[in-house]
Amino acid sequence: MSTFKVAVCQTKVYEDKMRNLENLAQLLERDDVQQADLVTLPEMWCCPYQTENFPIYAEKEGGEFYQALSDLAAKHKIYLSAGSVPEVDDEGHVYNTAYVFDREGKQIAKHRKVHMFDIYARGQVVFKESDTLTPGDSFDAFDTEMCRMGLNICFDIRFPESSRLPALDGAKVILNPGAFNMTTGPAHWELGFRQRAIENQVYMIGTAPARDPEAGYTSWGHSIVVDPWGTVVMQMDEKEGIEIVEIDLDYVEKIRRKLPLISARRTDVYELSSK
């Protein structure tokens, strides 16, 4: 298919994990969402975004929450980019993990956040994901019936390789569940998505939690879709909501023919000289 519809869901985050799941189940019943091929969710949308919460809310892959997401994808016959959730492995390592399920509820992609959001200000730690999270170690592309896609999480977007590697592997759309804060959001959220879209000539889809001023970590919101030319196709405000956006894959090819950035790369000179 040359076009498809994505439902970008900027959800409110509740302390009760299952209430977040119930909220999603209700949203998926909406008529406009029923018309979407792909539904995208935010980063850590099942628990308040605080480092101490991640081990508490974490489940193993295949656990109750995971299975419920798989079942919802199968029930509604959608591709579900299930935001990110805390995952714990057999050794007790906790990850910020994004899953994608196909229309039958089968997991077709998994990404563990690679770059930890460890932020310092005047020598003081403001936020340190590495206190409780273990980093992932790869950026991969995956296939859907629409096109090949890539997947990364929030802070990953600040590192060009997070989008370039999937793009080189054939991705035309890159999904990024993210939760920029009230400082980094106004400064770099839109800019970062436009940057990565332009240099990789892909659609960038960023899905954020709705803003909750009472939360310990306040999300900027502003879920966004940027096209391969760097144009902001859609950007929400801070409130909870859903936007349906049409993705035009022919436009990706048109832009890549018009400005052949990928094919014009000079990999023979992309190495620091010791001179």
Side-chain angles (χ1 to χ4, degrees), residues 66-116:
Y66 172 103
Q67 190 57 54
L69 294 171
S70 170
D71 291 345
L72 285 171
K75 176 183 177 181
H76 294 282
K77 301 298 180 187
I78 54 168
Y79 282 86
L80 178 61
S81 174
S84 77
V85 297
E87 176 211 0
V88 62
D89 67 11
D90 291 335
E91 287 73 43
H93 301 113
V94 179
Y95 301 90
N96 184 344
T97 300
Y99 299 108
V100 180
F101 301 94
D102 69 11
R103 296 186 193 273
E104 283 71 50
K106 177 185 175 183
Q107 179 193 309
I108 57 171
K110 175 181 179 178
H111 173 71
R112 289 169 167 169
K113 190 175 186 178
V114 170
H115 301 95
M116 297 291 92

Side-chain angles (χ1 to χ4, degrees), residues 195-206:
Q195 254 180 324
R196 299 293 166 250
I198 291 168
E199 65 197 14
N200 295 296
Q201 300 177 309
V202 296
Y203 278 92
M204 293 292 300
I205 301 176

